[in-house]
Amino acid sequence: MNFEMPNFLPALPEIFILGMACVLLLIDLFLKQQERYLTYLFSLFTLLLVAVLTIYGYGGERLTTFNGTYVADSMSQILKLGVYFAVFVVFVYSKDYLRDRDMFKGEFYMLGLFGMLGMMIMISAHSLLTLYLGLELLSLSMYAMVAMQRGSTKASEAAMKYFVLGAIASGMLLYGMSMIYGATGTLNLDSIASHAATADKTLMAFGLVFLLVGVAFKLGAVPFHMWLPDVYQGAPTAVTLYIGSAPKIAAFALLVRLLGDGLLNLHDQWQSILIILAVLSMAVGNIVAIAQTNLKRMLAYSTISHVGFLLLGILTGTQSGFSSSMFYALTYVLMALGGFGMIMLISRKGFEGDLLDDFKGLNKRSPWYAFMMLILMFSMAGVPPFLGFWAKLAVLQEVIAADMIWLAVVAVVFSIIGVFYYLRVIKLMYFDEPDSEEQLECSTDMRLMISANALMVLGLGLFPGSLMAVCAAAFSAT
Amino acid sequence: MFADWPLLSLVIWTPILGGLAVLSANSESQKTVARGLALLFSILTFVLSIPLYTAFDTSTAAMQFVEGPIAWIPRFNIYYHLGVDGIAMPLILLTSFMTVLVVLAGWEVIKQRVAQYMAAFLIMEGLMIGVFASLDAALFYVYWEAMLIPMFLIIGIWGGPRRVYATLKFFIYTFFGSVFMLVALLYLHFQTGSFLIADFQNYHMGMTPQLLIFLAFLVAFAVKVPMWPVHTWLPDAHVEAPTGGSVILAAIMLKLGAYGFLRFSLPITPDASQELDWLMISLSLIAVVYVGFVALAQEDMKKLIAYSSIAHMGFVTLGFFIAWRIFDNTGSLSGAAMGIEGGIVQMVSHGFISGAMFLCVGVMYDRMHSRQISDYGGVANTMPTFAAFMVLFSMANTGLPGTSGFVGEFMVILSSFKANFWFAFLAATTLILGAAYTLWMVKRVIFGDVANERVAALEDINKREFLILGLLAVVVLLFGLWPAPLLDVMGPTVNNLLQHIMQSKL
């Protein structure tokens, strides 16, 4: 048996992050608390370097390596850049928050980077096993992050829930994978695709169902969403920001790799499952969000409804449908970063700022940030000219092109319901009087970052062409 | 000299960018700066919009001042593409004219967050003009929806006691209508591969898709017009909105729905429009008659004018949708053209008159802080100049010959005779009903003995208010006595539209 040396180059970003995360762990060990900002700067530096590596290290062609278990294509390049960006923003936003709460420790950055490594592996996975490894690396990092605030019972409860339900989901996913392996005799996604037509139909169908249940758990699609609001609310906001942003990109990649690369032949079967998941998610997410008084919880339900929209593009099973969903995922992450970022902006030491009422009269206290929040909320509601509108338009266009006009109508009806709770935030900021006249206190980098974040939502909303073209190119190449 | 200027873009983006500039004068000490800047930008926009009329070629129905198409979102074939015809151009002028007055009307009245108030109106002006000037459906939709944001804030921040309820109702109602239009537009895009309105208009399709698309458009436009029975947001929004907000709502936003019928429903789905014209005619007549009676019962002046607006907009939709009946009865297009032209004249005229009426109520409200008819009486004794204006605009509202209100109503009633005697009969009841509710209000508010001490203490209008109402009075009389310029502008466009919609697309 001869051993062939695999080509390491396509996986260079992953290898780099693994190395840097370990170096970070070592460096952090020798830093005093007042020097901790070096850890922070080091992680930001790592993210910039890996972005450069990803941009220049990829030639444009589709490469597989490690015996076909790993793939680098233009989709993976763009999604990884999106993930780096999201994690970068998370780190910047959370610095003050963590410092105020005695959580400014190396672990946050170390776990954040390892979680990101998991996402990168999911994005580039080309076999069921790699997918699962990436997903578990991400999940374990996130469980630990949720539990990081050791003194908080709420955070411990959230972490416990997250861990138990997440473990069940992983079990489901693994069970589904084993069935598909049993039916096709392979773990490689390309081989699964070519064997799917001849494989045992019943076994494949069961495998598919378990697979989708697992994925729906991770995504937070209804009816497997129960953990999501509790975890979002219970976790420290910095961690919620992390969980609510970048992993959505990875989850999108997971779905596309599984369903698009591996099981496209079973499209008829998974389409109907996804329709149910999507409609239920949009319904429950939008309706239950109305009743929330906690902004983090409200945004959690809003996430559920956005996941429903995201599924709409994927369920068409076409390349352009995938690219629309990819656009939606990237757009959503940008908006979620801004939304949770605003909570951290108005929070102070000893004041979480996560209640809806905490936003009362923000326009009086700070017109600029009220305007930023207005942009984000209208964008999430899907009102033009903001980016969120184009994401909805792109997805709805694909649904109509797939001849499912009724589904498009259902989607827009739920988005009308959804508009109400976004408007309520704006109502609180603009129409109500503030409870306190206190000025917002936060550092300049946070201020700049959140302004840039919201203005990106506006700017990309005015000129969405380039981002759409990038997403379209990611799928036309393969 | 204006031939190679991008006039339409200038008219759209000057107020929007100007609004952002006004926002920078946000602090308490800079109120005067904010007002001055807002007035400057609104006048500048109005001046820029004048060449649209003077350089307009009245001999053609083609789009003029065309810009683009410039690729905006290549993946969906969305273009930045502007142009106006004889229907859109007068409405753009109406918008830029009314915005100047609204800025003036809010001059001393608005004391809180002046910069934000002025900026909201300027940005909304640009967006509304964008709706009228868009030749690309996606661009149209972006302007159409984005416009809701400033209006939502205007009612919500500077409105009355129930402003939150009113503004949420306004937003959700209109958003509800619009998203169905979005689905229809996406369907048309899927079928034609384009978002250009002209391509939609030339696309042939069967009856079922036409009916569905027509209904989707109907939801969007009927809410905006508003037609009975989806009109209930309007009285609430009007009552709670500040004066400027009411003026813009009545003068321009309602026209957007009617404009949508002309630009989308009629030419894209002519067969469905003909098939369902009974529905449209019935809803229009219900608006004229039933809502007229509702107006009669109002205690609140703003509510009364709001219901009167709904009744007047019923005339507009009636004029649009009787075209087929007239054509079937007379066999010529000229009768049908009169109905549509009458509707458009009514749109423009109602823009001025309803704006003027709301401004009059605003003048009284600023002094008395009440809109209840019963709180007034004998205002003519203390405010003689104001009373003269108020009576003039009320007469125009009832359709007195010599005012612009007469021209449109007369044309619509005249042409509806050619469709069906009973249509004309019911439509003509407005002459009685309109006179009843408007003049009765005038009688109770303006004439009679001085009702109470507060009325006795009223001061007549100042120069600023005189300027606003005087300008409107001139325009109302001008179009009443000499409507020819308006009719000349829209003539070829309306004829072209009629020829287009009389050809079946099946």
Side-chain angles (χ1 to χ4, degrees):
Chain A
M1 184 178 166
N2 52 357
F3 178 73
E4 206 178 318
M5 193 68 170
N7 182 4
F8 287 110
L9 269 183
L12 196 57
E14 282 83 351
I15 297 166
F16 176 76
I17 286 291
L18 178 63
M20 287 304 251
C22 293
V23 172
L24 181 88
L25 192 59
L26 281 177
I27 293 180
D28 187 67
L29 213 54
F30 297 100
L31 287 177
K32 297 188 193 70
Q33 185 58 30
Q34 63 264 34
E35 293 162 339
R36 199 69 71 194
Y37 66 94
L38 286 174
T39 316
Y40 164 71
L41 289 178
F42 185 82
S43 359
L44 292 188
F45 182 64
T46 306
L47 288 171
L48 289 178
L49 275 185
V50 75
V52 171
L53 268 183
T54 310
I55 292 170
Y56 293 102
Y58 171 68
E61 70 277 35
R62 186 173 190 269
L63 291 172
T64 55
T65 181
F66 299 113
N67 290 321
T69 57
Y70 177 97
V71 64
D73 52 16
S74 55
M75 175 185 108
S76 71
Q77 186 200 17
I78 295 156
L79 289 181
K80 277 179 198 170
L81 287 172
V83 167
Y84 306 152
F85 174 79
V87 174
F88 186 90
V89 175
V90 170
F91 284 174
V92 174
Y93 283 173
S94 46
K95 188 189 69 177
D96 292 353
Y97 182 92
L98 295 173
R99 180 175 288 161
D100 287 348
R101 284 159 188 77
D102 297 328
M103 290 165 67
F104 195 52
K105 305 214 172 70
E107 284 88 340
F108 182 80
Y109 300 99
M110 194 268 294
L111 288 170
L113 287 181
F114 271 117
M116 193 178 87
L117 179 61
M119 295 184 229
M120 294 162 71
I121 294 173
M122 281 163 80
I123 289 169
S124 274
H126 200 245
S127 98
L128 295 179
L129 207 55
T130 345
L131 264 180
Y132 184 75
L133 281 177
L135 182 65
E136 280 308 280
L137 183 53
L138 169 65
S139 302
L140 288 171
S141 307
M142 290 201 295
Y143 303 147
M145 282 170 96
V146 175
M148 246 178 68
Q149 203 175 21
R150 271 173 308 215
S152 158
T153 47
K154 264 166 76 185
S156 313
E157 185 197 331
M160 207 59 209
K161 264 185 198 153
Y162 194 18
F163 179 67
V164 171
L165 290 174
I168 294 174
S170 300
M172 296 271 191
L173 194 68
L174 211 51
Y175 194 38
M177 285 176 174
S178 69
M179 284 189 186
I180 286 174
Y181 177 67
T184 58
T186 173
L187 288 169
N188 183 292
L189 289 172
D190 274 345
S191 331
I192 290 176
S194 52
H195 286 87
T198 53
D200 182 345
K201 289 235 157 42
T202 330
L203 203 52
M204 283 299 271
F206 269 99
L208 180 68
V209 169
F210 277 107
L211 216 57
L212 283 177
V213 168
V215 175
F217 250 116
K218 298 285 177 192
L219 264 175
V222 178
F224 308 105
H225 66 288
M226 271 75 89
W227 61 275
L228 200 135
D230 290 342
V231 172
Y232 273 39
Q233 189 184 0
T237 312
V239 177
T240 311
L241 180 69
Y242 185 87
I243 298 178
S245 56
K248 301 295 168 201
I249 297 179
F252 162 79
L254 172 69
L255 262 181
V256 169
R257 292 286 181 218
L258 272 179
L259 301 181
D261 288 0
L263 299 168
L264 202 52
N265 284 329
L266 299 181
H267 175 229
D268 293 342
Q269 299 177 31
W270 54 259
Q271 184 181 44
S272 42
I273 302 177
L274 286 192
I275 289 177
I276 296 170
L277 291 176
V279 171
L280 283 177
S281 301
M282 289 186 291
V284 172
N286 279 322
I287 292 170
V288 181
I290 293 175
Q292 304 309 317
T293 54
N294 182 297
L295 186 59
K296 269 158 86 180
R297 209 173 169 83
M298 192 199 94
L299 287 178
Y301 280 104
S302 130
T303 303
I304 295 172
S305 73
H306 284 289
V307 164
F309 252 95
L310 184 73
L311 292 176
L312 285 184
I314 294 176
L315 64 82
T316 60
T318 59
Q319 295 303 315
S320 55
F322 293 150
S323 93
S324 289
S325 274
M326 177 170 163
F327 182 65
Y328 201 99
L330 293 172
T331 300
Y332 171 70
V333 166
L334 194 59
M335 298 187 299
L337 285 170
F340 288 112
M342 283 303 296
I343 300 179
M344 297 165 81
L345 181 86
I346 70 161
S347 71
R348 289 184 304 276
K349 194 164 187 158
F351 171 68
E352 282 297 315
D354 61 348
L355 295 180
L356 276 169
D357 283 348
D358 296 337
F359 278 79
K360 260 187 181 173
L362 188 62
N363 185 37
K364 278 255 172 68
R365 294 166 62 198
S366 164
W368 175 255
Y369 295 105
F371 182 57
M372 296 297 119
M373 188 67 172
L374 175 132
I375 291 177
L376 292 165
M377 287 295 115
F378 273 122
S379 177
M380 284 197 188
V383 178
F386 306 114
L387 187 56
F389 164 71
W390 296 109
K392 288 209 161 72
L393 179 127
V395 170
L396 288 176
Q397 174 63 41
E398 294 306 327
V399 172
I400 287 173
D403 212 15
M404 290 187 282
I405 296 174
W406 67 271
L407 190 57
V409 171
V410 170
V412 296
V413 167
F414 285 121
S415 72
I416 299 168
I417 298 172
V419 140
F420 177 78
Y421 58 85
Y422 298 118
L423 286 183
R424 200 172 53 171
V425 177
I426 293 162
K427 176 231 157 202
L428 289 168
M429 292 190 304
Y430 278 86
F431 308 162
D432 289 355
E433 294 299 315
D435 290 337
S436 74
E437 293 289 334
E438 267 176 90
Q439 291 297 308
L440 300 177
E441 43 180 85
C442 51
S443 55
T444 323
D445 47 353
M446 170 93 191
R447 284 170 187 266
L448 286 178
M449 200 65 182
I450 201 140
S451 305
N453 190 167
L455 291 177
M456 259 174 92
V457 171
L458 174 63
L460 283 171
L462 293 176
F463 301 100
S466 51
L467 186 57
M468 273 191 189
V470 164
C471 293
F475 283 92
S476 60
T478 52
Chain B
M1 78 176 263
F2 299 108
D4 42 354
W5 286 33
L7 267 182
L8 288 171
S9 286
L10 281 174
V11 178
I12 293 172
W13 293 102
T14 305
I16 295 180
L17 298 175
L20 295 177
V22 170
L23 270 185
S24 63
N26 197 23
S27 75
E28 283 296 301
S29 54
Q30 292 167 306
K31 277 181 188 171
T32 336
V33 182
R35 289 184 185 124
L37 271 179
L39 185 64
L40 179 76
F41 280 111
S42 62
I43 291 179
L44 182 64
T45 311
F46 178 61
V47 170
L48 282 170
S49 68
I50 289 174
L52 291 178
Y53 173 72
T54 53
F56 192 82
D57 181 357
T58 54
S59 61
T60 168
M63 288 293 167
Q64 305 186 33
F65 306 102
V66 174
E67 287 170 37
I70 303 162
W72 183 26
I73 303 169
R75 174 152 145 68
F76 289 112
N77 281 330
I78 296 174
Y79 294 95
Y80 182 77
H81 192 16
L82 303 174
V84 286
D85 57 10
I87 299 172
M89 191 273 285
L91 295 169
I92 291 180
L93 279 165
L94 174 73
T95 310
S96 61
F97 178 72
M98 292 309 284
T99 305
V100 177
L101 298 189
V102 163
V103 168
L104 277 174
W107 200 260
E108 294 146 2
V109 182
I110 300 297
K111 297 188 174 66
Q112 297 284 313
R113 305 184 228 182
V114 178
Q116 293 186 358
Y117 179 85
M118 295 297 180
F121 276 103
L122 284 173
I123 291 171
M124 197 158 58
E125 175 188 13
L127 298 174
M128 288 187 298
I129 293 175
V131 170
F132 292 128
S134 296
L135 298 183
D136 183 289
L139 186 62
F140 170 92
Y141 189 82
V142 169
Y143 285 129
W144 173 273
E145 287 279 81
M147 192 172 64
L148 298 180
I149 299 172
M151 199 64 195
F152 175 73
L153 296 175
I154 287 168
I155 302 177
I157 299 179
W158 295 277
R162 288 174 72 236
R163 58 185 199 273
V164 173
Y165 168 78
T167 197
L168 280 174
K169 192 170 175 183
F170 157 76
F171 194 100
I172 291 175
Y173 247 95
T174 28
F175 192 76
F176 171 83
S178 309
V179 291
F180 289 101
M181 175 168 72
L182 179 66
V183 174
L185 293 178
L186 287 173
Y187 175 80
L188 284 165
H189 168 66
F190 172 58
Q191 296 294 334
T192 61
S194 154
F195 262 117
L196 294 182
I197 299 174
D199 290 344
F200 290 177
Q201 291 177 349
N202 293 324
Y203 175 68
H204 288 245
M205 59 192 142
M207 200 52 162
T208 317
Q210 274 203 37
L211 282 173
L212 290 173
I213 291 173
F214 179 83
L215 291 174
F217 283 147
L218 177 63
V219 179
F221 300 139
V223 167
K224 207 85 161 187
V225 166
M227 298 176 80
W228 185 89
V230 285
H231 65 282
T232 59
W233 63 270
L234 186 78
D236 284 318
H238 267 313
V239 168
E240 299 304 325
T243 305
S246 295
V247 171
I248 292 296
L249 258 180
I252 300 151
M253 242 185 212
L254 307 192
K255 308 305 173 291
L256 293 164
Y259 175 78
F261 281 124
L262 287 179
R263 184 67 81 225
F264 288 87
S265 302
L266 290 178
I268 294 176
T269 59
D271 302 291
S273 307
Q274 185 178 6
E275 184 77 15
L276 290 178
D277 68 348
W278 58 271
L279 174 72
M280 302 304 294
I281 293 171
S282 320
L283 292 180
S284 307
L285 288 173
I286 291 175
V288 171
V289 179
Y290 165 73
V291 177
F293 276 112
V294 174
L296 207 51
Q298 297 309 311
E299 302 283 319
D300 180 308
M301 286 191 276
K302 266 190 160 179
K303 239 182 183 157
L304 190 147
I305 302 167
Y307 280 110
S308 130
S309 291
I310 301 167
H312 282 103
M313 291 308 287
F315 260 92
V316 176
T317 44
L318 179 67
F320 293 167
F321 282 91
I322 49 175
W324 287 276
R325 307 256 163 152
I326 297 173
F327 185 68
D328 289 347
N329 288 349
T330 62
S332 87
L333 286 178
S334 63
M338 189 157 80
I340 294 183
E341 283 175 2
I344 301 168
V345 172
Q346 174 80 342
M347 280 162 74
V348 176
S349 146
H350 178 257
F352 293 124
I353 297 171
S354 66
M357 292 297 283
F358 278 116
L359 284 166
C360 284
V361 176
V363 165
M364 288 191 281
Y365 182 80
D366 294 340
R367 288 165 172 70
M368 298 264 294
H369 296 282
S370 164
R371 293 180 305 259
Q372 296 300 313
I373 296 174
S374 55
D375 287 349
Y376 291 87
V379 172
N381 297 306
T382 45
M383 302 174 72
T385 324
F386 169 74
F389 279 121
M390 176 97 182
V391 171
L392 170 72
F393 294 130
S394 304
M395 290 299 176
N397 200 37
T398 63
L400 185 79
T403 63
S404 64
F406 170 73
V407 184
E409 286 187 15
F410 186 67
M411 286 170 79
V412 173
I413 294 176
L414 211 58
S415 57
S416 56
F417 262 114
K418 294 180 188 156
N420 186 319
F421 168 76
W422 291 105
F423 294 170
F425 176 80
L426 286 171
T429 56
T430 193
L431 295 175
I432 303 160
L433 281 172
Y437 58 71
T438 317
L439 296 183
W440 192 31
M441 176 188 81
V442 169
K443 185 228 149 208
R444 287 180 288 172
V445 172
I446 301 286
F447 297 120
D449 297 329
V450 173
N452 52 39
E453 285 169 14
R454 293 175 66 206
V455 174
L458 283 177
E459 282 176 34
D460 209 346
I461 48 175
N462 58 26
K463 282 185 186 138
R464 177 181 60 87
E465 290 160 339
F466 185 86
L467 177 68
I468 299 170
L469 296 178
L471 279 173
L472 279 168
V474 169
V475 178
V476 166
L477 289 172
L478 187 72
F479 281 115
L481 297 171
W482 192 43
L486 192 56
L487 293 173
D488 288 347
V489 161
M490 68 179 69
T493 313
V494 170
N495 282 326
N496 184 48
L497 174 72
L498 272 171
Q499 272 160 16
H500 181 89
I501 65 177
M502 288 303 161
Q503 282 162 4
S504 173
K505 275 187 175 181
L506 293 175

